[in-house]
Amino acid sequence: MYLWDGAFVVGGAESLLSDGIITKEAWYYLSSYPNQNTFVLLTCVLLKVGHFFHFNMDQNIVLLNGFNMLSLVVAILFSILISKKLKKNITTAQLALFLLVIACNPFIFLNVSYYYTMTLSLPYMMAFLYFCICLPDEKIQSRKILFACLSGTCFAFGYLLRATSIIPV
């Protein structure tokens, strides 16, 4: 029996990948919390990468946490781009200090080991914000359309991963 949300998701994704169906334990959880379905599909894709490289389950967990860390780094990079866009006269030293404060934040490192939707949806919401901020300043129509499509795609996927991640936005 699974005891925490991530175990339901990883167990469900692993059974979906190996057996083509989700285990009964995970089935009940996923029917109670349908927002986790996208999370299971993303996890299934990542586990498929692990299976391609013949990873065992321990290595797959490292793969999932590595993807989680990559998600956090991408979210941090988008927050830096947002800061540069909103504050036009920001100096390199101020940006370096901002990056240092984020990099030294212990909560960033605590979240790396918790493969869950709150961290995985963050880069999509930050990208959504960035593209929305860039949209009004863009003069070229084709780039405006591109930014609008990218912002909509990022919002949709981030919302599917974790609907409540849009609240801070």
Side-chain angles (χ1 to χ4, degrees):
M1 186 64 151
Y2 304 124
L3 299 176
W4 50 282
D5 294 352
F8 281 107
V9 170
V10 173
E14 185 63 43
S15 70
L16 182 63
L17 188 60
S18 61
D19 303 332
I21 59 170
I22 293 178
T23 60
K24 287 182 184 179
E25 295 90 358
W27 182 262
Y28 172 75
Y29 173 79
L30 294 171
S31 65
S32 299
Y33 303 102
N35 61 313
Q36 302 289 22
N37 294 336
T38 306
F39 187 28
V40 169
L41 293 176
L42 175 64
T43 304
C44 195
V45 168
L46 292 170
L47 290 177
K48 195 173 235 184
V49 170
H51 284 213
F52 177 79
F53 290 109
H54 305 290
F55 287 174
N56 61 32
M57 198 55 195
D58 291 340
Q59 292 168 321
N60 278 333
I61 296 300
V62 171
L63 173 69
L64 296 177
N65 286 338
F67 186 77
N68 194 33
M69 185 172 65
L70 179 66
S71 296
L72 287 169
V73 168
V74 170
I76 290 168
L77 291 176
F78 271 112
S79 66
I80 289 170
L81 291 173
I82 290 168
S83 298
K84 283 179 68 172
K85 195 77 173 159
L86 292 177
K87 191 173 179 184
K88 304 281 189 212
N89 57 354
I90 193 166
T91 66
T92 305
Q94 289 171 322
L95 271 178
L97 179 64
F98 179 69
L99 184 58
L100 182 67
V101 167
I102 290 174
C104 292
N105 183 344
F107 293 109
I108 295 290
F109 300 107
L110 290 174
N111 281 326
V112 166
S113 64
Y114 191 55
Y115 175 74
Y116 199 58
T117 57
M118 65 185 174
T119 51
L120 294 175
S121 64
L122 195 56
Y124 299 102
M125 289 303 147
M126 297 306 287
F128 163 70
L129 272 177
Y130 176 71
F131 292 128
C132 284
I133 290 169
C134 289
L135 200 56
D137 296 337
E138 187 54 52
K139 304 288 187 247
I140 302 169
Q141 187 65 24
S142 59
R143 285 179 55 105
K144 268 190 170 191
I145 293 170
L146 176 67
F147 286 161
C149 290
L150 286 173
S151 68
T153 303
C154 290
F155 176 82
F157 194 71
Y159 183 82
L160 284 173
L161 271 176
R162 186 176 180 100
T164 56
S165 64
I166 194 61
I167 292 170
V169 174

